[in-house]
Amino acid sequence: MAQTAIGRLFRCQSCFRQSLISSRGYSKNAIPSFAPTSSTELDQILNRFREELFIPVGLGARQRRLIFQPKYSEKLEEEPITVTIGQDEKFQLRPLDPQSLPRKEEIVQVVSLMKTTKDWQNIIPFLVAMRMSRRFLTQGRWEWLIRKAGEADSLGIILELAKQSDKTGLKLREIDIVHRLFFALHQKAQAADFEGDSMMKTLSLAKQFAMLMEAPEHINHNITLDPKRRPFIIGVLLELSAARALDESEGRDEGGHVKSYAEKLLASWAPGSFDGKIQDWVRVDRMLQENVPIWNGIRLTLQVHGIAGNEALSTSLRNRLQQLSTLIDEQQKLVPEKVKERPTQGYKQSLLLYQN
């Protein structure tokens, strides 16, 4: 009996050594590397995600078993196994508890530590690796991420994420996601007083996002839910184009872009948020976020040369401007006292822009 047990022991050790030998090799997936950041704490958490989630999950099935199955933990400590990541990076396997792996919710901590554009560039490989690890962001989390990128002046990073949508999962076909994106573009231009290089860069970004939304992976085939047909999205493009004409082209509509967006805005008016009967503040605040940029876009457009001379177009625009002015005036009366003390996004930007 003892000899049989000893025989089984040697056979198990032999099996493990065979696993050790056959486990030497390349990862089956591309494991991301992260550039040094402005924060030691951020470097550490990115490295934790890499070593405790991205690398282990990205390895082959045999290697993952060695890492995650408790029966191999003691052997891994006794007989270390090293695998090759990429071309020449060595990684030593160690036992891991699947329950202790970094959770996707910890992206909040990662993003909160990103202070510079260079920091934000790491979000691209990070999200690629998250998706590879089957950690998918919810729509609400995407909206939050876009808002944070806007606050960090890193919307160009969002454009790169959308260009790599097959790897990152960011699709520009959901109304709320695209709304958050274009509101951030509006805020960026507003912060620059709709002039100068910053505004020009914002217009360039907006046009690139609009073009990207024509790509098959970003198209919403339900016309009623297609973001690019919404007056708010077209209104922001109109606002930025008219601002450029006034700031850079002495008020001339070079290329006819302002006129084109103005006509598209009028044609898309029906699905807009213009219901004056709504009094729920959460919905009203969302309407202000949409309608104040449209109002401003029309206001600027009517100052562009050639628009005023087009009687039919200018008359339609003035009618819509009056409609929005009346609606916004009424919605301003619905602002709760607590919001006046701590303005929400819609009310804040209406204070900064509409009341001026």
Side-chain angles (χ1 to χ4, degrees):
M1 291 292 289
Q3 290 178 339
T4 302
I6 292 172
R8 283 200 302 269
L9 174 61
F10 280 116
R11 284 196 298 273
C12 288
Q13 290 176 338
S14 176
C15 291
F16 185 79
R17 291 193 184 94
Q18 184 61 39
S19 293
L20 184 153
I21 294 170
S22 59
S23 292
R24 298 181 188 277
Y26 293 95
S27 164
K28 68 182 181 68
N29 291 308
I31 305 299
S33 295
F34 300 108
T37 73
S38 62
S39 163
T40 301
E41 186 179 359
L42 179 56
D43 289 335
Q44 290 174 345
I45 191 171
L46 288 174
N47 187 62
R48 175 174 173 257
F49 266 91
R50 188 173 189 269
E51 294 198 353
E52 296 183 17
L53 179 62
F54 300 153
I55 291 179
V57 171
L59 295 173
R62 179 181 290 109
Q63 296 152 334
R64 292 200 304 275
R65 283 197 298 271
L66 294 173
I67 290 173
F68 293 119
Q69 291 189 11
K71 64 181 179 180
Y72 295 123
S73 60
E74 188 175 334
K75 281 295 181 181
L76 275 180
E77 293 175 359
E78 293 176 354
E79 302 181 44
I81 297 177
T82 299
V83 297
T84 304
I85 305 297
Q87 294 298 317
D88 54 13
E89 180 184 357
K90 303 299 182 182
F91 179 78
Q92 182 174 317
L93 305 187
R94 65 179 188 274
L96 288 174
D97 179 0
Q99 300 301 317
S100 67
L101 299 182
R103 297 174 292 110
K104 66 178 183 181
E105 291 80 6
E106 292 182 53
I107 189 177
V108 173
Q109 183 180 2
V110 173
V111 171
S112 68
L113 292 169
M114 292 182 170
K115 305 302 181 183
T116 68
T117 300
K118 186 176 180 181
D119 291 346
W120 269 88
Q121 289 173 347
N122 281 307
I123 202 67
I124 300 174
F126 181 84
L127 290 177
V128 170
M130 287 285 280
R131 190 167 180 82
M132 178 199 74
S133 305
R134 304 194 65 78
R135 269 65 173 177
F136 305 117
L137 270 61
T138 64
Q139 179 173 312
R141 185 61 72 196
W142 276 117
E143 293 176 42
W144 171 83
L145 184 68
I146 291 168
R147 177 171 64 82
K148 300 301 288 185
E151 293 172 357
D153 196 20
S154 296
L155 291 174
I157 302 297
I158 300 299
L159 179 64
E160 292 304 315
L161 290 172
K163 286 180 178 179
Q164 301 180 47
S165 61
D166 58 327
K167 297 179 181 178
T168 64
L170 177 57
K171 309 288 186 182
L172 302 179
R173 59 190 183 198
E174 300 297 332
I175 291 174
D176 289 342
I177 286 178
V178 179
H179 172 278
R180 173 51 55 193
L181 172 60
F182 274 73
F183 185 69
L185 290 165
H186 160 78
Q187 288 180 305
K188 179 175 171 61
Q190 183 175 332
D193 292 325
F194 298 98
E195 59 186 21
D197 291 341
S198 179
M199 199 284 301
M200 290 292 291
K201 291 177 182 178
T202 304
L203 173 59
S204 175
L205 274 175
K207 286 184 174 181
Q208 290 181 73
F209 278 117
M211 290 180 61
L212 194 58
M213 289 165 66
E214 300 289 348
E217 62 270 25
H218 295 290
I219 290 177
N220 191 323
H221 296 285
N222 185 335
I223 294 177
T224 61
L225 298 177
D226 186 359
K228 64 180 177 290
R229 297 174 184 268
R230 294 281 168 144
F232 169 66
I233 306 305
I234 301 170
V236 171
L237 289 164
L238 175 65
E239 178 185 45
L240 299 178
S241 297
R244 176 193 180 279
L246 295 172
D247 185 52
E248 296 285 332
S249 304
E250 299 180 339
R252 296 187 304 273
D253 183 18
E254 295 180 348
H257 299 297
V258 178
K259 179 175 181 289
S260 176
Y261 285 131
E263 292 172 340
K264 289 177 181 178
L265 174 64
L266 294 173
S268 70
W269 200 262
S273 300
F274 310 121
D275 188 350
K277 296 180 180 179
I278 295 176
Q279 297 196 349
D280 174 69
W281 175 248
V282 173
R283 296 175 65 188
V284 168
D285 189 61
R286 168 64 178 259
M287 289 173 68
L288 285 171
Q289 290 181 39
E290 295 187 9
N291 294 335
V292 173
I294 298 173
W295 172 87
N296 191 49
I298 296 176
R299 182 181 67 87
L300 295 175
T301 297
L302 288 170
Q303 300 174 44
V304 174
H305 300 323
I307 301 298
N310 186 324
E311 185 175 352
L313 179 58
S314 62
T315 298
S316 295
L317 289 173
R318 287 191 177 90
N319 289 339
R320 294 307 188 189
L321 187 66
Q322 183 57 51
Q323 176 187 347
L324 286 174
S325 295
T326 301
L327 176 62
I328 294 169
D329 283 338
E330 291 301 315
Q331 289 175 332
Q332 296 276 3
K333 300 175 184 177
L334 300 174
V335 181
E337 287 300 321
K338 63 180 181 180
V339 173
K340 292 180 181 179
E341 296 174 2
R342 299 182 63 182
T344 53
Q345 286 189 322
Y347 181 53
K348 182 187 296 184
Q349 61 108 36
S350 70
L351 285 173
L352 292 172
L353 186 60
Y354 179 74
Q355 293 186 358
N356 290 330

